[in-house]
Amino acid sequence: GDFAKEYADSLYESVGHTAVITDRDTVIAVSGGPEKEFLNKPIGSLIERCMEERRSVLVPRAGAERPIKGSLFGDEDEETKFSAFVVSPIISAGDPIGAVVICSKEPNAEMGELELKLAETAAGFLAKQMEQ
């Protein structure tokens, strides 16, 4: 938990977008957004699918096509709440154990390869930490 929080803080400081780390069921760390809005909230169907399919997803800006439909966190009604986001599953010993999410509600927010690579790097690093 503390380690995930520190990594989320580092991601937020690097990209300036909300950084969230989840386990298989709930949000365990958040930085750059109101903790009460995210912390301990259940993950949504989009994050679940990313973990199941073991693939990262990038939605670069508002209005961009979503390769996977669904919400990031909890309620399916919040599907359009985030204008841009990246989700990268944390895979440890072949099993999905969580996800790294970088997201923004700003209408003009944009994300690209940098945010995608940062999320994938964070996911890989956290997976290695869990294996030890």
Side-chain angles (χ1 to χ4, degrees):
D2 291 340
F3 193 74
K5 172 66 172 144
E6 289 173 12
Y7 210 109
D9 288 344
S10 293
L11 280 174
Y12 171 67
E13 289 169 14
S14 295
V15 297
H17 298 298
T18 302
V20 177
I21 298 174
T22 77
D23 62 14
R24 290 249 347 129
D25 302 306
T26 60
V27 173
I28 61 169
V30 61
S31 185
E35 283 196 7
K36 68 179 182 180
E37 182 179 343
F38 295 100
L39 206 55
N40 300 318
K41 298 285 186 195
I43 64 170
S45 59
L46 191 147
I47 294 175
E48 286 178 0
R49 290 267 314 277
C50 286
M51 287 192 292
E52 286 170 14
E53 295 177 9
R54 292 167 172 73
R55 71 174 177 137
S56 297
V57 169
L58 166 64
V59 174
R61 68 191 150 283
E65 184 176 336
R66 290 176 175 227
I68 296 176
K69 299 291 184 203
S71 66
L72 290 176
F73 309 104
D75 188 5
E76 293 301 317
D77 291 337
E78 63 100 59
E79 184 169 343
T80 59
K81 187 187 257 185
F82 298 94
S83 56
F85 59 85
V86 172
V87 179
S88 186
I90 301 169
I91 309 295
S92 179
D95 295 319
I97 61 167
V100 175
V101 181
I102 301 172
C103 55
S104 179
K105 294 180 184 179
E106 298 298 318
N108 59 351
E110 290 198 23
M111 295 192 192
E113 288 298 313
L114 173 67
E115 289 82 4
L116 177 62
K117 289 299 176 195
L118 284 170
E120 289 174 345
T121 300
F125 185 76
L126 290 168
K128 288 199 182 330
Q129 291 299 310
M130 295 307 293
E131 290 172 1
Q132 293 180 3

